[in-house]
Amino acid sequence: MNYMICIPSLRVATRENCEKIHNILARMSEAYKLNIVPEPVKTKMSQTPDYYKKYRIYKEIKERDGNGEAYLLQEEEEMILSVCRNPDEEELMKSCTYAYQYPANLVLKSFRDDKKERRQPKSGQDK
């Protein structure tokens, strides 16, 4: 199967934020004609609330090239952020964990750090 997984960060997993993520992904599904399926998150360490879901985003995934790239592709970042309506929604989507599901393993992906740091001033520069 060709899909990417989106798992919201547990740090921001309030009912309100989980509903926002669900709505953002629904807009992405509509805009890009993608099948996005929510699933319950099962963990061995703790019980998760019923509103906390992970999402399978069915889309074409490029084959692994073996270089260990840990970042989303530029077009994937743009696809995710293009449906966000404000900077808060963008930050919420950047806080999620993304992964590609390959037949033999799961490969974690994230937004590039330089894009995360633009909105957050580095500590020690205010002096």
Side-chain angles (χ1 to χ4, degrees):
M1 289 265 162
N2 287 333
Y3 62 88
M4 178 171 65
I5 297 172
C6 172
I7 305 170
S9 170
L10 277 172
R11 290 181 290 113
V12 296
T14 63
R15 181 178 295 276
E16 180 183 5
N17 283 340
C18 287
E19 287 174 2
K20 284 181 186 178
I21 290 170
H22 183 85
N23 291 335
I24 293 166
L25 290 172
R27 290 194 303 262
M28 190 171 85
S29 174
E30 188 175 309
Y32 291 93
K33 307 297 183 229
L34 299 172
N35 184 22
I36 300 177
V37 180
E39 301 177 343
V41 176
K42 298 175 185 173
T43 62
K44 293 180 180 181
M45 292 189 186
S46 64
Q47 187 73 16
T48 56
D50 62 336
Y51 56 81
Y52 182 66
K53 308 278 187 209
K54 66 180 176 180
Y55 298 86
R56 286 187 187 202
I57 303 169
Y58 289 91
K59 62 183 272 325
E60 286 299 315
I61 303 293
K62 292 187 178 181
E63 288 300 315
R64 293 181 68 181
D65 56 6
N67 70 356
E69 181 67 38
Y71 299 108
L72 293 169
L73 299 173
Q74 182 69 30
E75 60 259 19
E76 291 168 335
E77 290 184 10
E78 290 170 3
M79 177 180 68
I80 294 166
L81 298 179
S82 70
V83 294
C84 294
R85 293 182 175 159
N86 57 51
D88 291 336
E89 287 187 353
E90 288 182 11
E91 291 304 315
L92 194 57
M93 295 309 290
K94 287 179 182 181
S95 73
C96 293
T97 299
Y98 298 91
Y100 293 164
Q101 179 67 57
Y102 292 105
N105 60 2
L106 189 70
V107 178
L108 298 178
K109 300 287 182 171
S110 68
F111 279 86
R112 297 187 187 283
D113 290 333
D114 61 332
K115 291 187 176 152
K116 288 182 184 177
E117 291 175 4
R118 282 187 206 156
R119 291 204 167 87
Q120 299 173 351
K122 292 182 181 176
S123 60
Q125 289 184 340
D126 301 357
K127 296 178 182 177

